[in-house]
Each structure stands twice: as C-alpha cells, then as structure tokens.
C-alpha cells in the first residue's frame, strides 16, 4: 500500500517565487531607468506604518481562530502538496483491485493507514457498510465545509489587500504634515514630499503584488483540493459498488474530462454550483 497511503510530496511553487522576483525587478528597474535609486524607496517609517497598520486593521476585522488559520496557509503560497490526478486515480484503482480480490471489508486496515483524511473517512464509511446515498451526502457536506473554510482563509488576504493602500495614504498624509512644518526651506519640502509618498507606494505594492495575488493563489489551491476530493468520492463509491477496476478507471477519467470542460465553461459559477449542491445535500 505504498502508493495508497503515501503523502503527496511537497514541491516548491516556482511561479510564486518567480512572480515576486519579477515584480520587484520591474519596479526597481523602472525606478533606476527613471534616474532614481533604491534608497529613494527604502523608508523604514513608511514600511512600519503600512505593515503594522494593515496587520492591525485585519486583526480588528477577523476572528482570531480564522486569523491563525489564514496564517498557517502562507506556506501553501510557496509549497505545493496537491497530488496529481494520475496519482489519485492510481491510488483508488489499487484499492479497487484489493477490494475486488478479497472483498471491501479487507480494506479496513488499509483505510486506517491512509494519510489522506478525506479518503480515509470515505473508505471507512464504505467498509462499514454505509448506504451509498448517505456516504455521498456525508462526504459532499464535508467538501462544502472545506470550501467555506478555504474561502474564508483566502478572504483574510483579500481584506488585507483592501486595507493596505488606504493605510499607505494615511502614511503619506502623516509625512505631508511633517513637511508643512518646514515650508521655509523649499529644498527640504521637496525631499519631504518625495519621502511621504513612499508610504503610498508601499501600500499599493503590498496589496497588488503580495496580498491580493496570495488570496487568488489560495483560491486556486482550494479548487485543486476540492476537485481531488470529488474525484476521490467518485472512486470510493465505485469501490463500494464493486465496480470492475477497468470500468472504474474509465469512470474517473470521464469525470476528469467533464470537470475540465465544466471549469472552462462555468468558471467561478462552478464554485457556486458546488456550494448549492452541498447545501442541498445537508438538507
């Protein structure tokens, strides 16, 4: 059962690292081409105002448990642990073959050794002889809960992305207040205005280069996870029905093709459809 119970290997998300580096290179490169220097935008006070101000606003807005949960998701921005579709199907087919040879009850030990909690729960219900409609209803409800939880965690980053530019403007205004104290020295005024607007740059950059992209990346990760959970559920139901492994493989491959077509056609509407079906299942 090495393939069945092995955890998905984590791998670095090259796109996240490359995207951050490319964004920084573009901004700093443009600054240099315009005759500026990196030191022109290195202002500790502005960074302090934007970062701590944004963090404080998010803490006021977000319940503490959700805040901690969102913080734990930061690692998912840089490391991907979602298995491939081929790996999920291979795992399910291995379990189907064992059930075909020795009966579904023989999967009880295998279910306990599985590292994937969703597959473990679904397979345990199947081994315990749960009605297939009840099994589907329970697991679809769990998918719905995972979707709502994932969306709430991504929403934390979206909220922070909404606050950051405004906090940057506050920092700029505070800087301008200090400039107004020295209107008698025009050179100092010009330098002070330039420094004041660095806070705005920090706020807008933090929102549009880090926080909002992070929210969208987490949503993409969530979509992948929900997709594999739905695939897993279909596989477990096929195992419980005693489906021939070859037929099950065809069913799962057809499910993948249908899901891919639906994602292209429906886009964001697919999420609403899943949420509605989960709510209906719960009722």
């Amino acid at each position: 059962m090495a393939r069945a119970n092995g955890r998905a290997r984590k791998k670095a998300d090259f796109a996240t690292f490359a995207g951050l580096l490319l964004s920084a290179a573009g901004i700093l490169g443009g600054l240099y081409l315009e005759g500026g220097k990196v030191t022109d935008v290195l202002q500790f006070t502005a960074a302090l105002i934007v970062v701590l101000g944004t963090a404080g606003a998010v803490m006021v807005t977000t319940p503490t448990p959700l805040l901690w949960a969102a913080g734990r998701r930061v690692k998912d921005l840089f490391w991907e642990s979602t298995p491939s579709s081929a790996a999920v199907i291979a795992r399910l087919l291995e379990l189907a073959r064992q059930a075909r040879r020795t009966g579904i009850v023989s999967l009880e030990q295998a279910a306990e050794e599985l590292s994937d909690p969703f597959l473990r729960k679904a397979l345990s219900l199947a081994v315990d002889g749960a009605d297939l409609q009840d099994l589907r209803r329970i697991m679809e409800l769990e998918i719905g809960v995972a979707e709502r939880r994932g969306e709430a965690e991504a929403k934390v980053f979206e909220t922070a992305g909404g606050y950051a530019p405004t906090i940057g403007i506050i920092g700029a205004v505070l800087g301008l207040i200090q400039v107004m104290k020295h209107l008698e020295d025009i050179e100092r005024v010009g330098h002070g205005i330039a420094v004041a607007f660095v806070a705005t740059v920090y706020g807008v950059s933090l929102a549009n280069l880090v926080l909002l992209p992070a929210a969208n990346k987490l949503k993409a990760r969530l979509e992948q996870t929900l997709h594999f959970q739905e695939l897993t559920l279909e596989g477990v139901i096929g195992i419980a029905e005693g489906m021939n492994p070859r037929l099950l493989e065809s069913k799962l491959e057809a499910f993948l093709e249908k899901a891919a077509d639906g994602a292209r056609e429906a886009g964001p509407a697919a999420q609403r459809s899943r949420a509605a079906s989960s709510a209906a299942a719960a009722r």
Side-chain angles (χ1 to χ4, degrees), residues 122 125-126 130-139 233 236-237:
L125 288 172
D131 181 79
L132 293 185
Q133 290 185 350
D134 291 337
L135 190 155
R136 181 180 291 276
R137 188 179 300 111
I138 292 170
M139 300 314 297
L233 177 57
V236 171
I237 289 177

Side-chain angles (χ1 to χ4, degrees), residues 82-86 88-89 92 116 118 143 146-147 219-235 252-263 270-271 274:
T82 307
S84 66
S85 300
V88 174
I89 292 177
L92 291 169
D116 182 349
F118 185 87
I143 291 173
E147 181 178 18
K219 288 181 180 180
R221 291 271 195 267
L222 175 62
E223 272 298 303
Q224 287 181 313
T225 299
L226 297 177
H227 169 71
F228 289 126
Q229 287 183 346
E230 291 169 347
L231 180 66
T232 298
L233 177 57
E234 293 300 323
L252 296 179
E253 289 176 350
F255 176 86
L256 287 177
E257 293 177 2
K258 182 178 179 181
D261 292 340
Q271 293 185 358
R274 185 189 295 112

Side-chain angles (χ1 to χ4, degrees), residues 76-153:
D76 294 335
L77 300 173
F78 300 94
W79 301 95
E80 184 176 7
S81 59
T82 307
S84 66
S85 300
V88 174
I89 292 177
R91 177 170 54 186
L92 291 169
L93 291 179
E94 184 174 344
L95 293 169
R97 293 188 189 98
Q98 181 179 343
R100 188 83 170 177
R101 290 194 304 267
T102 57
I104 193 170
V105 178
S106 67
L107 297 181
E108 182 174 6
Q109 181 63 32
E112 294 177 356
E113 297 175 355
L114 290 170
S115 61
D116 182 349
F118 185 87
L119 176 56
R120 182 169 61 246
K121 182 174 182 178
L123 192 60
S124 296
L125 288 172
V127 170
D128 291 340
D131 181 79
L132 293 185
Q133 290 185 350
D134 291 337
L135 190 155
R136 181 180 291 276
R137 188 179 300 111
I138 292 170
M139 300 314 297
E140 285 183 346
L141 179 60
E142 187 152 321
I143 291 173
V145 170
E147 181 178 18
R148 289 190 293 273
R149 182 173 59 246
E151 288 179 345
E153 292 167 352

Side-chain angles (χ1 to χ4, degrees), residues 5-270:
N5 61 8
R7 290 185 180 273
R9 296 179 60 183
K10 289 188 177 183
K11 59 181 180 180
D13 189 330
F14 174 78
T16 299
F17 290 101
L20 291 173
L21 291 175
L22 188 61
S23 298
I27 292 174
L28 296 178
L31 176 66
Y32 176 78
L33 291 176
E34 288 295 322
K37 301 178 181 178
V38 175
T39 53
D40 293 342
V41 292
L42 293 180
Q43 300 294 334
F44 174 76
T45 304
L48 188 69
I49 292 172
V50 171
V51 173
L52 294 188
T54 301
V58 173
M59 290 175 69
V60 172
T61 305
T62 309
T64 302
L66 179 57
L67 194 64
W68 285 114
R72 289 193 293 270
R73 294 300 305 278
V74 171
K75 66 180 185 302
D76 294 335
L77 300 173
F78 300 94
W79 301 95
E80 184 176 7
S81 59
T82 307
S84 66
S85 300
V88 174
I89 292 177
R91 177 170 54 186
L92 291 169
L93 291 179
E94 184 174 344
L95 293 169
R97 293 188 189 98
Q98 181 179 343
R100 188 83 170 177
R101 290 194 304 267
T102 57
I104 193 170
V105 178
S106 67
L107 297 181
E108 182 174 6
Q109 181 63 32
E112 294 177 356
E113 297 175 355
L114 290 170
S115 61
D116 182 349
F118 185 87
L119 176 56
R120 182 169 61 246
K121 182 174 182 178
L123 192 60
S124 296
L125 288 172
V127 170
D128 291 340
D131 181 79
L132 293 185
Q133 290 185 350
D134 291 337
L135 190 155
R136 181 180 291 276
R137 188 179 300 111
I138 292 170
M139 300 314 297
E140 285 183 346
L141 179 60
E142 187 152 321
I143 291 173
V145 170
E147 181 178 18
R148 289 190 293 273
R149 182 173 59 246
E151 288 179 345
E153 292 167 352
K155 184 69 175 178
V156 174
F157 292 89
E158 282 187 353
T159 301
Y163 287 134
T166 305
I167 301 298
I169 293 173
I170 292 174
V173 172
L174 291 176
L176 291 176
I177 290 174
Q178 301 305 312
V179 169
M180 293 302 176
K181 296 178 180 179
H182 305 283
L183 291 178
E184 72 284 351
D185 187 347
I186 191 63
E187 183 177 347
R188 188 171 182 180
V189 168
H191 176 73
I193 291 175
V195 171
F197 281 106
V198 170
T200 303
V201 173
Y202 281 4
V204 174
S205 298
L206 181 63
N208 292 282
L209 300 180
V210 179
L211 297 173
L212 296 180
N216 288 326
K217 176 60 71 74
L218 291 180
K219 288 181 180 180
R221 291 271 195 267
L222 175 62
E223 272 298 303
Q224 287 181 313
T225 299
L226 297 177
H227 169 71
F228 289 126
Q229 287 183 346
E230 291 169 347
L231 180 66
T232 298
L233 177 57
E234 293 300 323
V236 171
I237 289 177
I239 294 172
E241 291 174 339
M243 186 176 292
N244 184 288
R246 291 188 177 181
L247 292 178
L248 179 60
E249 183 176 12
S250 298
K251 175 185 176 182
L252 296 179
E253 289 176 350
F255 176 86
L256 287 177
E257 293 177 2
K258 182 178 179 181
D261 292 340
R264 284 193 293 268
E265 294 174 2

Side-chain angles (χ1 to χ4, degrees), residues 140 272-282:
E140 285 183 346
R272 293 193 293 272
S273 176
R274 185 189 295 112
S277 64
S278 298

